[in-house]
Amino acid sequence: NNDSEEDMFGDYDSFYGSESLLAQLDDMEQQMHPQGKEVDVSAAGEPVLGRPASEAGQRKQSGSSASEDAAGHKAVRADGFQRHENDLLEKNEVTGDFVLDDFPSSQFLYLEEMDELSSASRESAGAKRNNSCSDKISDPVLCHAADQREGSTVLPVCSKHDPNKRESLKDHLKNAMTGNAKAQAPLISKTKQLKDAILSEEICVARKAIESSSDDIGPFYGLPHKVKDLLKQFRGIEALYEWQHDCLTLESLQQRKNLIYSLPTSGGKTLVAEILILQELLCRQKDVLMILPYVAIVQEKVWGLSSFGIELGFLVEEYAGSKGRFPPIKRRAKNSLYIATIEKGHALVNSLIETERIDHLGLVVVDELHMIGEGSRGATLEMTLAKVLYTSKNTQVIGMSATLNNVGDLQKFLRADYYTSNFRPVELKEYIKIRDAIYEVDSKAECGFTFSRLLGFKYSSNLEKADPDHIIALVTEVIPKYSCLIFCPTKKNCENVAAMVCKYLNKDFRAHREKEKQDLIKNLKTIGNGSICPLLKQTIPFGVAYHHSGLTNDERKSIEEAYSAGVLCLLACTATLAAGVNLPARRVILRAPYVAREFLRKNQYKQMIGRAGRAGIDSAGESILIAQEKDKQMVQDLISSPLENCYSNLLPELNKGIQSLLLSLVGLKIAVTLEEIYSFMCHTLLGVQQQLLSKEKSLLDVIKEGVENLIGNELLKGKSSEKDNNSQTVLTITRLGKATYKGSIDLARCNALYRELKKGLEGLVLESNLHLLYLATPYDMIDNCNPDWMIYLRQFNQLSPAEQRIADIVGVPESFITKKASGQAIRKNVDSTVTNRLYLSFVLYTLLKETNVWSVSEKFNMSRGYVQSLLTSAASFASCVLHFCEELEEFWVYKALLTELTKQLTYCVKAELIPLMEVAGVLEARAKQLYNAGYKTLAHLANANPETLVKMIEHLSRRQAKQIVSSAKMLLSEKAEALQEEVDELLRMPADIP
């Protein structure tokens, strides 16, 4: 009666197509039911559906234990033929529920039939069944559906079914298999579901454990075992250092107190922070903010933690440069780890306070906490932490640094406990070189160091003149077998040292990893669109390169990767490398005790020598400071002096410090009266260090003066109000004030920016993006700009008439440029801020047209590193101007224009490469390689096989390939989650519906 059903198996060599097997089954059926005697299901001894509830319940219980998890399915298959023969057929019933509905239908009828017959009948037929059916009934075709099903059973139903007529075994079989074939296979394997269920259960248990007061907080510091496995898989970490264990089990951390911890560089501080971050994300289900000092380090950390996010189910979001959403998307399904620079971290905290979501931020981690004492960036970091501590009682703050001294002040400010250790995985030996002698630093010695040895390297007279500091002798003691860093005072000095070392190195050095060095040169040529720095081309064959801000981002990344891989063994670098990405060395040489023209500070010295010694590779690390006789006393003071103290920079950095803080306090309604502002300020580092203020001015006087300045600049308004018979001034923020703090605009520049944007509305030239670029050119790059007036005039003459009109609009007439280029006297001067800003906008305009840093740097006679830095700053400032305009209705026209311009400045590549460059760690050169290899979208990258990537992309290591795929998956997941949040928000029923 099922012949009308479509034959799902066609002419394939399927179970149904096996006539001999079906004949055997018919024979078996005849033996069980003698000819001429039809079995009436309803009249059988005890029909299935008529079975008493107790017996049916027992049957269901015994079956459900196997159906509840994937392991049960394996057990059913492993029982061999005896189980299979009882799971073969299906009994069609018109009404009622099926008892074992978690198994495929083809497995049940025979079990039911056998229950209906006497045990004697079963035993008599058993031998024949074993001989004729065992091999074929176990055929994987039959079991395939069982392996692939989620749990629900698809049963074919015949509309003309007669309950009194028994179907043939063949019809039952066909019916069951047709149903199973139609069943949809799940997209996720049972194994993965089981693993996810186990991880979810472990996180649940860990969450309960970490919330309890017990000392035993779970298998891996309150985290599931999988975290330990991932650390081994991604980082090669099998066990923690003793100090890390002690720190993670501190009672203060169990009680969620704030913590500052300090150890020497390379001690493993970051791992402790990452474990605390995972505890917050997975166990306490709160978001986390991690603040890092530089864009490159943010990108490196996003790259490294995306793999953990994919495996453990949280999002990693980058807040650096122009990247980051304000306020961040409110996630319901997953928690977010925000990795931000100091400036973006501050803007993020402001947006969370404004939207009353600061309590969702469970943890703030600050790396390089000592930077709180360094200029305007330190002031911004202090503001961020003060706001978090003042507005959220549930947010924990963790600070770490290798160079802290006045920890007591920082503890009072952060209300934190303190942990420190002198642990270093590799012993560090410090030396000072003066003339031919090398002295070892010894704190017990009267002068701070003791004589160690004389240089054993004999110099010729020519070499002595070229290398009076004996750098070649010092580096050849370690390279090429080990690595070496030479810290130089200036960028030019880096290049000179690299050239000098290669000039006198033995030619045998060229043979060390020669092919890989040639590959690096080819890669740098590709990055430069055929161009390569002549000096790098000369030094790389020797395994030597320079590293400073004059390199492009792509060049810097390639050189860092080659050094980490051992292809390059010597880098001549500036002090910025010490505070940047982690590039350790066997020996670190300080070319001179200076950074530019400033004498070295103890903090800087410690950062540099901290790079000496690579954990797991070197048995010891060495640092050698080269000093002249005239600097001997200053070097002695440097060695013996303590680390510098951290002092608040809110007052020294007036516009970017205290006035900016006062403005945002009123704008965010954290404090709107002088009394409330004073209360807040007492909780800042400046409040803790009030004794450092001059005797003429108290903290309250400083606050009053700042508020008066803000009112005078029309950023705040004061309004008197009566409260408890006391008259007090309630402060409110103006529209311009709100735009200024929301856009993170320098208070000294906000009025000038407003005027220029207003002027732009009168005649915004949209023939090209030059006028917009002028408005988005950052003010802080102007001071370092010295225009070449011949180039200025040449570039001006290449503009269209409409574009030339822009110069007149902003206030730089053509006659002024012409006279400056020809050296004529100028009666009426033009504001240098405007002329320099327009010149830099010409650079950006050319760069966006050509998308080639090399050619643009040559056209404008600038270093390619400076051009790259200008581009990065412009992208960030364009983003700030966009947020500024969003708060002022009259600037509505700029919103769409600046959104697109910010995107162009952020990537500065052809449009097709932008989706690939959105992935953390993928720069232009890598994006081109991926695009040419067929990986043209984010989805392509997210679904790529890392092994295939390694084969198809030149100079790509397996580790890099895995990180790129993980980062792409994370970004794709982030975007999908954001879209899903929008959908949920649209479909959510309003709470105030009438």
Side-chain angles (χ1 to χ4, degrees), residues 619-826:
S619 56
E622 299 170 339
S623 71
I624 300 174
L625 169 58
I626 298 173
Q628 305 302 318
E629 193 69 43
K630 65 182 179 67
D631 293 326
K632 186 174 180 180
Q633 186 57 51
M634 293 175 72
V635 168
Q636 286 180 355
D637 295 340
L638 173 72
I639 298 300
S640 58
S641 67
L643 292 163
E644 287 84 9
N645 289 334
C646 284
Y647 295 117
S648 172
N649 274 274
L650 288 179
L651 273 184
E653 298 291 332
L654 193 63
N655 287 317
K656 292 183 179 179
I658 192 163
Q659 291 202 28
S660 177
L661 175 58
L662 295 175
L663 182 66
S664 63
L665 288 179
V666 176
L668 294 168
K669 298 178 182 175
I670 295 171
V672 294
T673 66
L674 287 177
E675 289 78 6
E676 290 173 350
I677 292 172
Y678 180 75
S679 173
F680 178 93
M681 292 301 298
C682 286
H683 289 87
T684 62
L685 183 59
L686 176 62
V688 170
Q689 297 173 336
Q690 284 187 55
Q691 73 276 10
L692 299 174
L693 294 170
S694 63
K695 293 179 181 177
E696 292 78 25
K697 282 185 183 178
S698 67
L699 181 59
L700 189 58
D701 293 333
V702 170
I703 292 168
K704 286 179 180 177
E705 187 179 307
V707 168
E708 286 169 8
N709 283 338
L710 292 171
I711 291 173
N713 289 323
E714 299 182 346
L715 299 173
L716 289 181
K717 291 187 292 187
K719 182 181 177 183
S720 295
S721 72
E722 294 286 337
K723 187 177 181 182
D724 299 330
N725 297 323
N726 291 323
S727 176
Q728 62 177 350
T729 302
V730 176
L731 300 167
T732 56
I733 195 164
T734 64
R735 288 169 56 251
L736 178 60
K738 188 174 183 181
T740 301
Y741 96 78
K742 293 277 288 255
S744 302
I745 304 296
D746 185 348
L747 268 62
R749 303 287 189 181
C750 63
N751 283 303
L753 177 63
Y754 181 83
R755 286 194 300 271
E756 288 186 320
L757 289 167
K758 193 80 173 171
K759 195 174 183 181
L761 290 178
E762 297 169 10
L764 189 63
V765 178
L766 294 176
E767 182 182 284
S768 69
N769 56 13
L770 178 60
H771 201 164
L772 276 175
L773 280 169
Y774 172 79
L775 296 172
T777 300
Y779 291 104
D780 57 5
M781 297 291 288
I782 293 169
D783 296 336
N784 299 324
C785 176
N786 293 305
D788 181 318
W789 290 100
M790 287 303 295
I791 295 173
Y792 208 141
L793 181 61
R794 191 185 312 131
Q795 292 299 317
F796 179 84
N797 288 333
Q798 289 174 6
L799 299 175
S800 68
E803 289 171 335
Q804 287 180 351
R805 204 171 77 249
I806 296 168
D808 273 331
I809 293 171
V810 300
V812 185
E814 182 180 358
S815 58
F816 175 80
I817 300 172
T818 306
K819 286 178 180 178
K820 288 290 282 184
S822 59
Q824 296 178 35
I826 298 168

Side-chain angles (χ1 to χ4, degrees), residues 854-898:
W854 272 87
S855 63
V856 173
S857 63
E858 286 172 9
K859 270 184 186 175
F860 288 88
N861 196 23
M862 294 174 167
S863 78
R864 57 195 184 282
Y866 179 83
V867 174
Q868 179 98 63
S869 179
L870 171 64
L871 181 65
T872 305
S873 297
S876 185
F877 187 66
S879 174
C880 292
V881 176
L882 171 60
H883 293 306
F884 181 87
C885 293
E886 284 173 344
E887 299 301 321
L888 298 165
E889 288 179 14
E890 63 264 43
F891 295 149
W892 63 270
V893 70
Y894 288 118
K895 294 178 191 176
L897 296 170
L898 285 170

